[in-house]
Amino acid sequence: MRLLFDQFMKKCEDGSWIHLPSYNYTLFQRSQDISAFIHAYLPTASKLINEEKLLQAKIFTRNFEDGLGFEYVMFYNDVEKRVVCVFEGGPYLQGMPGCLHGGAIATMIDATVGTSAMIAEGIVMTANLNINFKRPVPLCSVVLINSQLDKIEGRKLFISCNVQSVDEKTLYTEATSLFIKLDPEKQV
Ligand SMILES: CCCCCCCCCCCC(=O)SCCNC(=O)CCNC(=O)[C@H](O)C(C)(C)COP(=O)(O)OP(=O)(O)OC[C@H]1O[C@@H](n2cnc3c(N)ncnc32)[C@H](O)[C@@H]1OP(=O)(O)O
């Protein structure tokens, strides 16, 4: 993980790649920001949300102690419209014995392609995520999640992604996704 981090940080030196903020990076630092977002963009959902519990809201992937859950760092290349995530799924993300849980893989795919969509168009939500699990990901191994913004049509963003071993010899997962840029005029 450290070796890959250093390799990508070197790529950032000429500005072609950007290291995306990570720990404690959220668009919404305060509960009132979250509440304002929900009331502006998701009025239907806002009726069901417990504002009291909202005070405890945290990003799903940042809920485990270091090394036990989602360990990841993301880098962005604006020319190539790519987000690459270096990800290690910790021991608390086990699915089948010794394997990373498919939901954990889906989470990090969603976060990586979602980051790509947010960079391109701001406030977005996942409308569709199709994942082909080709080979099991060994638990606690480091993988590369490569996402590519393929096209934007109006409010629709089409982003593909694959998950490979760090030597890029093993293809674990392939995915396609559709993100929709939220329209505050629409009652979602
Ligand atoms: C804090 C940050 C840290 C960093 C965090 C990193 C980023 C993390 C990102 C995580 C993102 C999530 O997990 S979000 C959570 C999971 N997703 C959700 O809960 C979304 C639930 N769904 C919805 O809210 C809604 O369906 C929307 C917003 C997706 C779309 O609703 P809408 O805005 O009314 O749009 P709508 O008119 O229905 O559709 C617009 C166009 O898209 C097409 N379309 C819509 N859905 C689909 C679909 N499933 N498959 C195909 N096409 C679709 C329509 O046909 C239409 O095409 P046309 O007629 O125009 O051609």
Side-chain angles (χ1 to χ4, degrees):
M1 188 91 174
R2 182 76 221 193
L3 183 68
L4 277 164
F5 177 79
D6 292 343
Q7 285 173 359
F8 269 96
M9 288 306 284
K10 192 124 188 73
K11 289 181 178 185
C12 295
E13 286 172 4
D14 67 1
S16 57
W17 285 86
I18 302 165
H19 170 216
L20 296 176
S22 187
Y23 274 100
N24 301 324
Y25 167 72
T26 67
L27 280 182
F28 311 99
Q29 296 288 4
R30 300 170 307 162
S31 62
Q32 50 271 50
D33 298 341
I34 300 173
S35 188
F37 167 80
I38 292 167
H39 285 94
Y41 287 96
L42 310 170
T44 312
S46 66
K47 297 181 186 76
L48 303 170
I49 283 163
N50 178 324
E51 301 270 348
E52 186 65 25
K53 289 199 174 155
L54 210 56
L55 297 169
Q56 299 166 301
K58 283 177 79 177
I59 285 199
F60 172 43
T61 53
R62 289 297 183 212
N63 272 307
F64 297 82
E65 293 127 66
D66 286 1
L68 297 178
F70 298 92
E71 289 303 319
Y72 63 95
V73 60
M74 293 193 195
F75 294 89
Y76 174 63
N77 183 310
D78 189 50
V79 171
E80 297 174 10
K81 298 297 178 222
R82 283 175 57 202
V83 171
V84 173
C85 175
V86 183
F87 165 48
E88 177 179 337
Y92 284 12
L93 302 183
Q94 177 170 252
M96 290 302 281
C99 298
L100 188 59
H101 192 290
I105 300 170
T107 293
M108 285 314 300
I109 288 174
D110 193 26
T112 305
V113 295
T115 298
S116 174
M118 289 174 78
I119 290 171
E121 290 289 333
I123 305 291
V124 297
M125 285 196 103
T126 317
N128 183 280
L129 191 58
N130 279 304
I131 299 175
N132 288 314
F133 295 93
K134 310 284 236 190
R135 285 178 183 75
V137 177
L139 193 61
C140 303
S141 68
V142 180
V143 296
L144 281 175
I145 305 178
N146 287 291
S147 77
Q148 175 71 54
L149 173 58
D150 296 318
K151 65 176 173 177
I152 298 177
E153 285 174 0
R155 292 194 298 126
K156 298 189 286 189
L157 297 96
F158 298 87
I159 306 168
S160 52
C161 171
N162 66 41
V163 181
Q164 293 179 316
S165 54
V166 292
D167 61 8
E168 300 186 357
K169 288 190 178 129
T170 306
L171 175 65
Y172 292 120
T173 320
E174 285 177 323
T176 57
S177 67
L178 168 66
F179 280 78
I180 307 293
K181 180 179 175 56
L182 292 192
D183 173 355
E185 305 303 314
K186 291 200 77 166
Q187 294 287 321
V188 174

